[in-house]
Amino acid sequence: MLGANLANIKGDFDDDNAMKFGMHIGAVVDIGIGDKFSIMPGALFSMKGTQSDEDSKFKTNLNYIEIPVLAKYQLESGLNFSAGPYLGLLMSAKAANGDNDVDGKDAFSGTDIGLKAGIGYHLENGLGFNLNYGLSMTTIADDSDIDVMNNVIGVSVMYLLGGN
């Protein structure tokens, strides 16, 4: 799986935040549990964060190892719907101003627990496309009194080994 993220942080300090471009890459396994249902666990490297809406060189770059476990319903047309929880493990957090990066990992929680929902289309040859939305369900700030959450729109291309 390979794709693009449009990420933002929403919550107590989102007055001048804008969506930030990032990438994700990883692997998922599609485990059939019926004709139309499957479970899709995976592991992804996912770039999240935010940027200033006034000056895009001011960014918060958050990098996670994300472990989703999605339930998928597959239509015969190839269209599918998926939803489920994810666990994100924070690998790095940097505040950037265009010239300098400052380590900000201590300001963030080590985990991001959230939900994902998506719609996709898989061809019979195994090639697939997916659009999903992920939302933190807990604050990602290290201080539990500060309520901030990741919001990510992801667009992916994937290939299922063995076809659809």
Side-chain angles (χ1 to χ4, degrees), residues 60-121:
T60 301
N61 298 311
L62 306 175
N63 294 316
Y64 288 89
I65 297 295
E66 189 174 282
I67 303 164
V69 179
L70 306 179
K72 182 176 89 170
Y73 180 75
Q74 180 78 42
L75 301 176
E76 291 196 25
S77 66
L79 192 64
N80 64 73
F81 303 92
S82 60
Y86 71 84
L87 170 66
L89 304 173
L90 183 63
M91 307 308 326
S92 67
K94 303 238 185 229
N97 68 5
D99 298 324
N100 299 311
D101 287 349
V102 177
D103 188 352
K105 194 171 179 183
D106 290 344
F108 293 94
S109 169
T111 58
D112 174 18
I113 298 169
L115 294 175
K116 275 191 172 195
I119 185 170
Y121 185 80

Side-chain angles (χ1 to χ4, degrees), residues 4-15:
N5 287 342
L6 288 174
N8 203 348
I9 296 175
K10 292 291 184 183
D12 290 345
F13 302 109
D14 64 356
D15 291 341

Side-chain angles (χ1 to χ4, degrees), residues 3-7 24 116-119 130-134 152-156:
N5 287 342
L6 288 174
H24 61 265
K116 275 191 172 195
I119 185 170
N130 190 333
L131 173 66
N132 67 67
Y133 178 72
V152 180
I153 297 170
V155 178
S156 306

Side-chain angles (χ1 to χ4, degrees), residues 107-161:
F108 293 94
S109 169
T111 58
D112 174 18
I113 298 169
L115 294 175
K116 275 191 172 195
I119 185 170
Y121 185 80
H122 286 124
L123 302 169
E124 286 187 30
N125 66 5
L127 185 62
F129 308 92
N130 190 333
L131 173 66
N132 67 67
Y133 178 72
L135 172 66
S136 297
M137 301 307 292
T138 59
T139 185
I140 60 169
D142 188 44
D143 182 347
S144 61
D145 292 333
I146 299 172
D147 192 24
V148 290
M149 298 176 195
N150 282 312
N151 290 269
V152 180
I153 297 170
V155 178
S156 306
V157 175
M158 66 178 70
Y159 183 76
L160 297 173
L161 297 173

